[in-house]
Amino acid sequence: MAVAPLRRGLPLDGPRERPPSPREAARWITTHPHRRSPHINDRLPRLLNHCPELKTAHDLVRRFAAMLDNRDATHLPEWLDDLANTGLAPLTGLARALHEDRHAVTQGITTPYNSGVNEGRITDVKLQKRLMAGRASVRLLRHRVVLIAHLRRRYANRPTISPR
């Protein structure tokens, strides 16, 4: 059966690409275009042309990323209106929630401050707590968290490029 089309001279189907998983598609959409590989830059337009909902989501994500990059929230009201008018239920719900907190969203876009350091410390505490699984005291947990914070602070002061 595999050789029969060759004998008849019929063209064979070209190799088919495996469609991206939802996680891969989300990563492609959220990654800045200059940071994507050339292979993904070739595949993403085909995916977006195949699915208009993904194209809408891609355009909205890129517009929001531009607001974050420029720290300019002047286009946020139009962006929220476009998000609400997509006709996609999850995006409409997100638009409603962001509209209720639009002052906080505007503040988050325009200020250079974030809570990344605090979130990292909280994650450290959670991981240490889970790692010890109730076998140790609060005193030992505190000691380990302080030790991790000290090590991170020491490694954070190192230069990013090694001297040669």
Side-chain angles (χ1 to χ4, degrees):
M1 286 186 348
V3 179
L6 294 173
R7 289 186 182 146
R8 287 188 296 234
L10 297 175
L12 293 175
D13 289 339
R16 296 182 186 234
E17 285 182 319
R18 178 185 60 83
S21 69
R23 182 176 292 195
E24 285 177 320
R27 188 178 328 116
W28 294 358
I29 289 172
T30 56
T31 302
H32 192 278
H34 297 297
R35 299 194 68 187
R36 291 186 209 129
S37 70
H39 174 68
I40 292 172
N41 281 334
D42 291 340
R43 288 186 68 188
L44 183 61
R46 291 196 306 264
L47 177 67
L48 297 179
N49 289 335
H50 182 71
C51 183
E53 292 87 1
L54 275 180
K55 182 164 179 50
T56 302
H58 176 264
D59 295 340
L60 289 166
V61 165
R62 293 281 32 109
R63 285 174 47 200
F64 189 75
M67 283 190 278
L68 289 175
D69 289 341
N70 299 329
R71 289 198 180 127
D72 181 22
T74 56
H75 300 292
L76 184 65
E78 301 99 46
W79 184 82
L80 286 173
D81 291 340
D82 292 344
L83 190 66
N85 296 329
T86 58
L88 302 171
L91 296 182
T92 305
L94 175 65
R96 196 175 319 116
L98 289 178
H99 187 71
E100 290 175 5
D101 293 331
R102 68 185 172 281
H103 299 295
V105 174
T106 302
Q107 188 72 18
I109 291 172
T110 57
T111 59
Y113 307 108
N114 63 44
S115 61
V117 174
N118 293 335
E119 293 296 329
R121 298 284 189 251
I122 291 168
T123 302
D124 287 343
V125 171
K126 287 180 182 178
L127 290 175
Q128 288 301 318
K129 188 175 120 183
R130 190 174 299 139
L131 182 71
M132 294 188 308
R135 294 183 299 246
S137 65
V138 174
R139 187 174 168 193
L140 179 60
L141 174 64
R142 182 180 184 280
H143 178 73
R144 290 182 73 164
V145 169
V146 169
L147 182 63
I148 288 172
H150 176 71
L151 290 175
R152 283 196 180 195
R153 192 177 311 119
R154 185 168 54 171
Y155 289 124
N157 294 334
R158 289 187 176 179
T160 55
I161 300 173
S162 61
R164 293 185 189 236

